[in-house]
Amino acid sequence: MTKVLSGAGLRGQSAGQTALCTVGKAAADLTYRGYDIDVLADKASFEEVAYLLLYGALPNRHQLHDYEQKLMSLRPLPDELKAVLELIPKTAHPMDVMRTGCSFLGNIEPELPFDKQPSLALHAADRLVATLPAMVVYWYRFSHDGVRVNTHNAQVPSLAGHFLTMLHDEAPSELHTQVMNASLILYAEHEFNASTFTARVCASTLSDLHSCITGGIGSLRGPLHGGANEAAMDMIEPWQSADEAETELMKKLANKETVMGFGHAIYSERDPRNDVIKKWSKKLSDAVGDEYLYAVSERCEEVMWREKKLFCNADFFHASAYRFMGIPTKLFTPIFVCSRVTGWAAHVMEQRSNNRIIRPSADYIGPDHTNWVDIDQRP
């Protein structure tokens, strides 16, 4: 007899082993290779976390310097890729832009068979870490502003600062760089989520890295996985006071509308990433003299807990944090990709290290037998 898995969508089922991340092992636990997320977000650079996930340990000072220099050298986009990005219309979904950019890069810079030169997989991963931010910002600035941005930018070592510099044509403040750095760390890895599992399934067939990452981007594009920060921004942006937010949110709850950015499939008490980004959002609010957006966000948090016992996940206060930094809403989820590519690539290499093709069985629920009917006798 076939064993039926009880969790809808495989929720609650173990699909393999990983040494990369724990999610919800304790009530509100998130670690990358054993390091607590709040410690990493407070003390590490995103480049350190990328190195930790991809290379297996935190770098020493010399290794970090070399890695930062390597990523900076890998930033320039090939002319062929720029030409493709310039053909994508302004109306395109930015996640589609990233999907196309990743896939096209795999055409002009293909990963060689990893069984012959495994180090090239890490090089290909580093190239994607360095170029994915440039892909989406280059397209956005060209299609929206008619500007071809400098994607190399050798004066700004951090990826966080590089992204904001390309977007705004000026070096960001130290506060904005710190917030973006923390945001990238918070989104870097999250165990066997849908997009990561997509990447691992693709890797299990011995496909190339670019195909695996493109698959991850496609899964993250779906509104049930990525995009909650965009949805949260679209919801809270029109509300001009905390009281208005409570009134409108209560209407949504009465109408049984879905409110994005709250609750989580894994965490039972709180999302530890929210604690970090909420503090940064408050600092940004104070810095820009915000009079209502943070208060609106905080009131939404209070109402959802009071009425539904739902806590904010990582996405909700990211919405206000990104808005305070002048980031267009349509670029919120692509930032997720710029970060999560590190986790995806690390999972691809982990899958390859002890691979068996991921091919689960299904429980058939169709008819036992159907008799053939010639076409002329069919109703």
Side-chain angles (χ1 to χ4, degrees), residues 9-11 13-23 189-198 200-201 225 266 340 344 347-348 350-351 358:
L10 300 182
R11 183 169 295 183
Q13 306 297 324
S14 176
Q17 296 180 325
T18 182
L20 293 169
C21 179
T22 64
V23 178
E189 167 57 4
H190 215 237
E191 200 221 54
F192 278 23
N193 56 84
S195 57
T196 298
F197 193 61
T198 298
R200 288 194 74 130
V201 170
H225 186 15
I266 303 298
R340 186 58 60 85
W344 287 336
H347 275 277
V348 167
E350 186 177 63
Q351 179 67 36
I358 298 174

Side-chain angles (χ1 to χ4, degrees), residues 200-365:
R200 288 194 74 130
V201 170
C202 193
S204 79
T205 71
L206 303 186
S207 191
D208 65 289
L209 181 69
H210 296 89
S211 294
C212 299
I213 303 304
T214 301
I217 294 171
S219 288
L220 186 63
R221 188 198 191 287
L224 293 184
H225 186 15
N229 47 25
E230 295 181 29
M233 191 69 246
D234 290 339
M235 179 181 72
I236 65 178
E237 190 170 24
W239 299 338
Q240 299 297 306
S241 71
D243 288 343
E244 181 185 2
E246 178 162 354
T247 299
E248 296 302 316
L249 189 53
M250 290 299 291
K251 290 178 183 177
K252 289 181 176 292
L253 295 177
N255 294 331
K256 300 187 184 306
E257 297 179 36
T258 300
V259 180
M260 300 297 287
F262 291 88
H264 198 278
I266 303 298
Y267 300 116
S268 59
E269 295 180 5
R270 65 180 179 91
D271 185 333
R273 300 169 298 177
N274 177 62
D275 297 346
V276 176
I277 199 60
K278 181 180 178 181
K279 292 176 183 177
W280 283 118
S281 180
K282 181 63 169 68
K283 289 182 180 180
L284 289 167
S285 172
D286 293 341
V288 302
D290 164 57
E291 296 180 352
Y292 68 92
L293 187 56
Y294 183 83
V296 163
S297 302
E298 198 168 40
R299 182 67 66 85
C300 290
E301 181 180 37
E302 293 169 3
V303 171
M304 290 300 291
W305 182 253
R306 183 188 73 213
E307 299 295 327
K308 294 292 185 180
K309 290 296 182 284
L310 291 176
F311 51 83
C312 292
N313 58 36
D315 296 310
F316 191 73
F317 277 92
H318 261 104
S320 55
Y322 286 164
R323 175 50 51 89
F324 291 140
M325 292 190 289
I327 299 172
T329 303
K330 66 194 305 180
L331 297 185
F332 288 7
T333 308
I335 295 173
F336 198 150
V337 174
C338 297
S339 168
R340 186 58 60 85
V341 63
T342 56
W344 287 336
H347 275 277
V348 167
M349 286 178 271
E350 186 177 63
Q351 179 67 36
R352 288 174 173 179
S353 69
N354 185 28
N355 186 60
R356 292 187 65 184
I357 190 169
I358 298 174
R359 200 291 186 194
S361 299
D363 299 307
Y364 178 69
I365 59 172

Side-chain angles (χ1 to χ4, degrees), residues 28-333:
D29 165 79
L30 175 59
T31 69
Y32 299 169
R33 294 195 186 272
Y35 293 94
D36 289 337
I37 190 62
D38 56 341
V39 174
L40 292 173
D42 180 52
K43 297 182 178 298
S45 68
F46 174 68
E47 288 72 19
E48 285 179 275
V49 171
Y51 192 98
L52 169 68
L53 291 172
L54 292 169
Y55 291 83
L58 285 173
N60 60 33
R61 191 173 297 278
H62 177 73
Q63 290 169 328
L64 178 60
H65 175 267
D66 287 350
Y67 189 56
E68 290 172 340
Q69 294 300 308
K70 178 184 181 182
L71 291 180
M72 290 174 68
S73 73
L74 294 175
R75 286 176 181 173
L77 297 181
D79 290 341
E80 303 95 323
L81 178 53
K82 291 180 183 178
V84 168
L85 294 171
E86 290 181 12
L87 291 173
I88 301 175
K90 177 180 180 179
T91 55
H93 194 297
M95 290 293 285
D96 295 344
V97 175
M98 302 201 85
R99 183 189 65 206
T100 298
C102 178
S103 182
F104 187 77
L105 187 65
N107 280 280
I108 59 177
E109 298 180 8
E111 179 196 8
L112 295 178
F114 64 87
D115 58 336
K116 294 182 173 62
Q117 290 183 272
S119 63
L120 293 180
L122 282 168
H123 181 78
D126 290 336
R127 177 71 160 144
L128 285 170
V129 172
T131 55
L132 279 170
M135 291 182 200
V136 70
V137 178
Y138 186 91
W139 163 80
Y140 182 84
R141 294 298 311 281
F142 181 83
S143 62
H144 289 66
D145 304 328
V147 173
R148 292 183 172 95
V149 298
N150 172 20
T151 67
H152 188 188
N153 192 12
Q155 285 71 47
V156 182
S158 72
L159 189 144
H162 177 48
F163 178 90
L164 293 171
T165 300
M166 288 189 293
L167 185 61
H168 296 312
D169 282 333
E170 61 181 9
S173 67
E174 182 179 353
L175 175 60
H176 286 193
T177 302
Q178 289 174 328
V179 177
M180 181 56 67
N181 180 75
S183 174
L184 292 171
I185 291 171
L186 295 177
Y187 275 137
E189 167 57 4
H190 215 237
E191 200 221 54
F192 278 23
N193 56 84
S195 57
T196 298
F197 193 61
T198 298
R200 288 194 74 130
V201 170
C202 193
S204 79
T205 71
L206 303 186
S207 191
D208 65 289
L209 181 69
H210 296 89
S211 294
C212 299
I213 303 304
T214 301
I217 294 171
S219 288
L220 186 63
R221 188 198 191 287
L224 293 184
H225 186 15
N229 47 25
E230 295 181 29
M233 191 69 246
D234 290 339
M235 179 181 72
I236 65 178
E237 190 170 24
W239 299 338
Q240 299 297 306
S241 71
D243 288 343
E244 181 185 2
E246 178 162 354
T247 299
E248 296 302 316
L249 189 53
M250 290 299 291
K251 290 178 183 177
K252 289 181 176 292
L253 295 177
N255 294 331
K256 300 187 184 306
E257 297 179 36
T258 300
V259 180
M260 300 297 287
F262 291 88
H264 198 278
I266 303 298
Y267 300 116
S268 59
E269 295 180 5
R270 65 180 179 91
D271 185 333
R273 300 169 298 177
N274 177 62
D275 297 346
V276 176
I277 199 60
K278 181 180 178 181
K279 292 176 183 177
W280 283 118
S281 180
K282 181 63 169 68
K283 289 182 180 180
L284 289 167
S285 172
D286 293 341
V288 302
D290 164 57
E291 296 180 352
Y292 68 92
L293 187 56
Y294 183 83
V296 163
S297 302
E298 198 168 40
R299 182 67 66 85
C300 290
E301 181 180 37
E302 293 169 3
V303 171
M304 290 300 291
W305 182 253
R306 183 188 73 213
E307 299 295 327
K308 294 292 185 180
K309 290 296 182 284
L310 291 176
F311 51 83
C312 292
N313 58 36
D315 296 310
F316 191 73
F317 277 92
H318 261 104
S320 55
Y322 286 164
R323 175 50 51 89
F324 291 140
M325 292 190 289
I327 299 172
T329 303
K330 66 194 305 180
L331 297 185
F332 288 7
T333 308

